[in-house]
Amino acid sequence: MIQTRISGAQAAALLFLSRMFALLITPAGGGQAGQASGGLAALAALASFLFQLALFIPGWLLMKRNPGQNFSEAVTGCLGNFGKGISLMLWAVLVLLAGISAAEFDRFLVSAVYEQAPKMLFALLFLAAAVYGAWLGLEAFGRYAYFGLTIFFILAVSLCLSLSGDFHTGELYAQTSVSAPSFWGTAWGMAAGDIEILCFFLLLPNLRSGQTGEGRTVPAGKRLFFVWNGLYTLAACGFILLTVGVLGGSPSEGHNYPFYTLACAAEGQLFARMDAVHMSMWGVFGLLRCCLLLYCATVCLRCVMTVSSGKNKLADWIAAHRTFVTAAAAFAAAILSAGSPKVLNAFRSVLGKGIPLFLLLIVLPAIALIAGAAQSSKKKKEAAGHGEAS
């Protein structure tokens, strides 16, 4: 895997498009019993930013305490060998998510577009392209994110123009009240898939945001979080409003893939075959997401497996072939998920509750911060003791 650096703007575009892929595979704020729907789902989308910020803060504090390190390196430094086990767990989660993303895209194509296509074909082809993109390095698919972002804005505007005549504001008031637990539960559900926060922490040492007058590179900062997550929150809110106003009811009621349904509804009004164009757009998003997840997974594995003196040949082989090992595990996850709808639904249910993300982005950084503070306190006491002895 080629090691490169990308700018903060490229990172923001990449993380935003990766996050947007969730709108293809996840009902946009509603559709399930007890959740907010109608215009209230759009308000829940805005409120979800508060949860995204809560998920971001612990990891950012850990990054500030360990400048120049990525998330996996910081955890390993604070927790020692136990931290290596955590890094291995992060690798497994990212690989699993890459396989699930490929399986979700395969399910979308087979169930909504190419119903006669064999299962797993698109997932394997899709993942093969993502593995190659991740192997080319961060800069390769980071630059490609600019192209994806441009296409997204062009198609988003064209979709809004095409459906403006079919938009009914009365549908936004279909649900005028909802209990506080349901509202905040919907907001948390929208934030529960923000694995891009973890990816940001893993990419942080590889990001730059500009240069000083002396030509030195300026590291990327926390403003990137507000750029990509703020942009995503607004886009999700707009998508919900458009879906409810055009299709009626809740954003996902009666529609397995509401965005694709919107594109089909737009066909023949402003442009022809909008569904095929938007399907291609989501393919670009999914490809960037899988490249990002696989690259970050390899970063985690690098923190666990390093080439040693040759005492453990298996560990040395894994360290020398991290990209291959990550790719093989991702293919296994994709085959398992795409081959069994029950397995895919089970993964979707667990991830949708947000418990894994809560543990990874709140509990884990908190433990690492406490352990790091304890280590610093111990070193200060030891230094003070040596000073008194001398």
Side-chain angles (χ1 to χ4, degrees), residues 60-348:
W60 180 249
L61 293 176
L62 180 63
M63 294 297 95
K64 288 194 68 176
R65 194 182 185 283
N66 300 274
Q69 296 183 342
N70 63 48
F71 188 85
S72 185
E73 291 170 339
V75 170
T76 301
C78 291
L79 300 178
N81 290 330
F82 180 71
K84 287 189 175 182
I86 295 297
S87 295
L88 188 62
M89 181 186 70
L90 295 177
W91 171 84
V93 170
L94 292 167
V95 165
L96 180 61
L97 286 173
I100 291 175
S101 297
E104 290 279 15
F105 192 71
D106 179 88
R107 178 188 241 185
F108 161 64
L109 290 179
V110 172
S111 62
V113 186
Y114 303 109
E115 298 182 2
Q116 304 301 321
K119 287 184 177 181
M120 292 190 289
L121 174 63
F122 294 111
L124 297 179
L125 293 175
F126 190 75
L127 199 54
V131 168
Y132 179 68
W135 178 79
L136 288 177
L138 183 60
E139 187 174 7
F141 60 89
R143 289 181 181 273
Y144 189 57
Y146 279 155
F147 167 77
L149 189 63
T150 303
I151 295 299
F152 165 76
F153 282 122
I154 292 175
L155 294 181
V157 171
S158 67
L159 186 65
C160 291
L161 292 175
S162 297
L163 296 173
S164 59
D166 296 325
F167 187 85
H168 304 288
T169 57
E171 295 290 348
L172 302 178
Y173 306 102
Q175 184 183 20
T176 57
S177 63
V178 66
S179 66
S182 297
F183 178 84
W184 290 109
T186 303
W188 169 247
M190 294 181 188
D194 200 357
I195 195 66
E196 283 72 24
I197 295 178
L198 174 61
C199 294
F200 168 74
F201 292 144
L202 289 169
L203 296 180
L204 195 56
N206 297 94
L207 305 184
R208 61 182 189 277
S209 59
Q211 291 185 335
T212 63
E214 295 79 16
R216 292 179 297 178
T217 299
V218 179
K222 58 181 179 296
R223 65 181 178 275
L224 289 184
F225 164 80
F226 293 95
V227 172
W228 99 75
N229 257 316
L231 189 59
Y232 168 78
T233 301
L234 294 176
C237 181
F239 166 67
I240 292 173
L241 292 175
L242 186 63
T243 305
V244 174
V246 174
L247 302 179
S250 68
S252 62
E253 185 177 354
H255 309 286
N256 292 328
Y257 300 100
F259 192 93
Y260 180 72
T261 306
L262 279 177
C264 291
E267 180 182 345
Q269 298 190 34
L270 184 62
F271 299 105
R273 297 303 301 170
M274 288 288 288
D275 56 335
V277 174
H278 282 82
M279 178 187 68
S280 301
M281 179 184 70
W282 287 116
V284 172
F285 291 4
L287 181 62
L288 288 172
R289 177 181 174 84
C290 285
C291 287
L292 176 65
L293 292 173
L294 291 172
Y295 184 91
C296 291
T298 308
V299 170
C300 291
L301 191 58
R302 186 174 69 239
C303 294
V304 180
M305 299 291 184
T306 55
V307 179
S308 63
S309 58
K311 295 180 180 180
N312 191 327
K313 293 184 178 180
L314 178 60
D316 290 346
W317 186 88
I318 294 176
H321 301 85
R322 289 186 290 265
T323 302
F324 174 80
V325 173
T326 300
F331 273 107
I335 292 173
L336 179 63
S337 302
S340 173
K342 291 183 179 180
V343 173
L344 183 57
N345 290 335
F347 284 145
R348 180 188 284 182

Side-chain angles (χ1 to χ4, degrees), residues 354-371:
I355 296 176
L357 203 66
F358 176 82
L359 295 175
L360 292 178
L361 293 178
I362 293 184
V363 176
L364 180 57
I367 294 175
L369 284 169
I370 294 173

